[in-house]
Amino acid sequence: MAPSLSPLRSHHVAVIGAGAAGLVAARELRREGHSVVVFERQKQVGGTWIYTDHVEPDPLSVDPTRPVVHSSVYATLRTNLPRECMGYIDFPFVARSGGDQRRFPSHGEVLAYLQEFAKEFKIEEVIRFETAVERVAPATEGGSGKWRVESTETEKRVRRDEVYDAVVVCNGHYIEPRLAEIPGISSWPGKEMHSHNYRTPEPFKDQVVVLIGNSASAVDISRDIAGHAKEVHVAGRSNPADTYIKQPGYINLWMHSMIERVNKDGSVVFQNGQTILVDVIMHCTGYKYHFPFLETNGSVTVDDNRVGPLYKHVFPPELAPWLSFIGIPWQVVPFPLFELQSKWIAGVLSGRIMLPSKDDMMEDIKSLYATLEAQGIQKRYTHRMGIAQFEYNDWVATQCGCPGTEEWRKEMYLTTGVRKRTTPETYRDEWEDHHLISQASQDFSLYTH
C-alpha cells in the first residue's frame, strides 16, 4: 500500500481510566500528536493495582445500588508473572532501590512502577482525577465520528458535557464479579462472598471455607486462608468429577470437583460425593466486562462476556476508529499488549495506519466466532488468549511497523506457566531461566530509566 501523502491528523481524544492501559494509551496518543484528556475516578493512577482495605458492603457485589470499590487486590498479592516479562516494552520493570526487590513483587511495587511511568512521561498533566464518566455517546445521529462525554468531578461537584473526536475505553475488567450458579444456594444459611471483596485471611479464623474457581486467585487465596481457617476446600469446574485431593504440604487444604448442591442445614455436597458443613463460600470466579457509561445504540454489546463485535478485540467496525477498547484480552502479559494496542489506535487515528473496510472487519470477526464455535469454545472465552497472544501481538506490531514480542519474553511467559502449574507454592521464589533474565537485561540496557 503506497504511503498516504496527506499530513497526519491530530485529534482530541478522551481516554477512560488511568490504570496500566489508560496510561500507555495517553502516552502513545500524545507521541502521535493527538491531544488527550484522561478521566480517572480515583485520586491517583494505577487502576486495579491500588490496594485499599475497603470492601463493598454487599460481599457478593450484586446490589446495583452498592458503593463500588474499584480494586480487587488483596494484601498478600504478588504478581504471577516475573517483572522482566511484565513491564512495558520501552520502560523496563526493574527493581528500584528501597523497593520490593523480588522477581515476582507485591502489588505495591507494580503500583510504584505505574506511578513512575506516569511521572516519566508527564501523563498526570492530562489526567482529571476523581472524575467519574457518566455517559459516553455519539455526539450526533448519523455518526460523524464525534463523541459526547459527560463527567462529574466528585469533590467539586463539577459536571462537564464535552465533545471529543475519539474515545478510548480503558476502564479495566476486574470490578463487576461473575458468580457461580449453585443449586440450593437461596436457602443455604452460610456466608457467600466474591474474591473481589477478599483482603486478609484473619476473618476466616477457625472457619470452614469453600472457594470456587481454578484461577490464580483461587490458588493463591486458598493458601493465604489455610494458615487461619479450620479447613479450606477448593471446588473447580474443570476438575474431574471424582477429584478429592489433599494438598501436599498442608494439613487443612483439599481440592474437589465442582459443588453439586448446597443444603439448608449448611452442608455443601461436591460431585465427588463428599459432604461438608461449611461457614463461607467464596466465588473466585472472575469478572464481567462492564461499560455502564457507554451508549452505542446496540453497536457494541456484552453477551456472555463476549464484547462485540470488535475487530481484533479493539475496534467496533460500525464506530471505528472513533471508539476503541484497550485491554479486553485476558490470560495475557497485559502491559506490553496494552502498549501495542495503544500504538495501533494512535496510528489509525492519525491516518498513518489504515483499517480495513467496515465489511472486511465484520468478516474477520465472523470468521473468529466461527472458528471458536467449531473448536467448541464457549462465548465467554472469546477474549481469552493464552499462547495465541504472541501471534496477536506480532500482528498488531506489524500494523504499527514496530518489533513484535521479544523471544525471551515469550519463553519466560511459557516457562513460568509450566512452573506455576507444577510447583504453585514455590514458582515465585525458585526459577532456572537465568539465561532469559540476562537476555532481558541486555534489551533493557537500551532503555535504562
Side-chain angles (χ1 to χ4, degrees):
M1 188 165 48
S4 137
L5 297 174
S6 62
L8 297 184
R9 296 184 298 276
S10 167
H11 290 292
H12 190 38
V13 185
V15 172
I16 298 173
L23 292 173
V24 75
R27 184 191 71 172
E28 294 303 331
L29 288 161
R30 292 172 89 197
R31 277 182 170 174
E32 190 77 13
H34 303 293
S35 69
V36 177
V37 174
V38 180
F39 294 84
E40 173 50 59
R41 63 164 63 234
Q42 305 199 75
K43 47 168 143 334
Q44 56 172 315
V45 304
T48 202
W49 293 98
I50 300 168
Y51 176 78
T52 172
D53 292 333
H54 295 298
V55 293
E56 296 176 10
D58 170 9
L60 276 176
S61 299
V62 287
D63 176 358
T65 64
R66 72 192 190 278
V68 174
V69 172
H70 288 263
S71 176
S72 299
V73 169
Y74 45 93
T76 61
L77 183 135
R78 288 173 67 185
T79 65
N80 60 1
L81 289 170
R83 64 195 312 148
E84 304 87 8
C85 182
M86 210 179 146
Y88 298 115
I89 297 158
D90 64 359
F91 191 77
F93 186 11
V94 292
R96 308 169 297 141
S97 62
D100 180 348
Q101 305 288 311
R102 293 174 299 179
R103 194 174 171 212
F104 291 74
S106 67
H107 54 81
E109 188 70 5
V110 182
L111 180 61
Y113 168 71
L114 293 172
Q115 289 166 336
E116 249 172 61
F117 179 86
K119 199 164 126 195
E120 172 74 18
F121 298 104
K122 302 185 171 50
I123 297 164
E124 294 215 346
E125 63 193 40
V126 298
I127 302 176
R128 290 190 195 152
F129 289 107
E130 297 187 270
T131 300
V133 172
E134 314 285 353
R135 181 168 174 262
V136 171
T140 54
E141 300 298 316
S144 64
K146 299 228 185 247
W147 286 82
R148 172 170 236 150
V149 177
E150 294 174 23
S151 63
T152 307
E153 210 170 318
T154 37
E155 284 306 296
K156 299 178 190 161
R157 297 220 159 81
V158 178
R159 281 189 69 86
R160 288 195 181 89
D161 185 345
E162 301 163 308
V163 172
Y164 289 84
D165 297 319
V167 173
V168 184
V169 178
C170 306
N171 71 324
H173 46 84
Y174 295 113
I175 302 296
E176 194 68 16
R178 285 172 65 91
L179 300 173
E181 286 178 19
I182 307 169
I185 197 70
S186 55
S187 54
W188 184 74
K191 178 186 175 179
E192 270 190 288
M193 64 182 291
H194 189 279
S195 57
H196 172 62
N197 295 307
Y198 174 72
R199 295 294 180 267
T200 56
E202 287 77 12
F204 301 91
K205 187 172 164 44
D206 300 332
Q207 297 198 315
V208 177
V209 183
V210 169
L211 286 83
I212 303 174
N214 286 86
S215 63
S217 62
V219 171
D220 290 339
I221 294 172
S222 62
R223 286 153 174 77
D224 205 22
I225 289 178
H228 293 76
K230 184 176 169 188
E231 294 175 13
V232 180
H233 300 268
V234 182
R237 187 192 280 140
S238 55
N239 293 344
D242 59 352
T243 303
Y244 182 49
I245 302 164
K246 189 155 191 277
Q247 201 55 35
Y250 291 87
I251 54 166
N252 62 344
L253 177 55
W254 289 266
M255 301 294 139
H256 294 262
S257 44
M258 193 47 187
I259 295 173
E260 189 164 284
R261 65 176 191 281
V262 295
N263 298 320
K264 52 175 170 286
D265 65 357
S267 62
V268 170
V269 183
F270 297 90
Q271 287 170 355
N272 59 18
Q274 296 290 322
T275 300
I276 290 157
L277 274 174
V278 172
D279 299 299
V280 182
I281 293 177
M282 189 188 302
H283 297 251
C284 302
T285 39
Y287 297 85
K288 298 174 186 168
Y289 296 97
H290 192 54
F291 312 104
F293 50 83
L294 188 58
E295 290 177 21
T296 65
N297 220 348
S299 293
V300 181
T301 60
V302 183
D303 175 18
D304 191 20
N305 244 22
R306 169 185 282 175
V307 185
L310 291 183
Y311 177 60
K312 306 296 184 193
H313 309 274
V314 173
F315 289 107
E318 205 52 52
L319 301 165
W322 312 112
L323 178 66
S324 57
F325 295 79
I326 293 177
I328 296 289
W330 53 282
Q331 241 177 52
V332 295
V333 183
F335 300 2
L337 182 136
F338 302 163
E339 186 172 357
L340 288 166
Q341 290 181 326
S342 300
K343 286 179 193 294
W344 185 31
I345 292 166
V348 167
L349 285 173
S350 71
R352 185 171 58 82
I353 302 169
M354 298 302 292
L355 282 179
S357 71
K358 194 184 299 186
D359 289 348
D360 287 352
M361 289 193 276
M362 277 311 300
E363 278 311 307
D364 187 272
I365 296 164
K366 281 182 190 153
S367 117
L368 168 69
Y369 291 174
T371 305
L372 293 172
E373 200 170 332
Q375 293 170 343
I377 294 170
Q378 291 162 295
K379 241 183 218 183
R380 67 170 180 272
Y381 296 120
T382 301
H383 307 294
R384 180 179 71 178
M385 286 203 174
I387 187 69
Q389 68 183 293
F390 300 115
E391 196 182 324
Y392 174 83
N393 286 355
D394 293 348
W395 183 90
V396 176
T398 303
Q399 300 300 302
C400 301
C402 64
T405 312
E406 312 91 330
E407 217 36 61
W408 60 259
R409 202 183 293 256
K410 291 181 198 176
E411 270 189 68
M412 207 177 264
Y413 173 84
L414 295 170
T415 55
T416 301
V418 170
R419 288 199 349 271
K420 199 183 331 186
R421 285 187 291 278
T422 52
T423 55
E425 321 297 335
T426 56
Y427 78 94
R428 289 181 172 93
D429 299 300
E430 294 172 12
W431 56 83
E432 285 158 15
D433 54 350
H434 301 284
H435 61 297
L436 299 176
I437 299 176
S438 56
Q439 284 170 34
S441 306
Q442 276 178 315
D443 277 4
F444 291 172
S445 62
L446 307 170
Y447 306 112
T448 41
H449 62 84

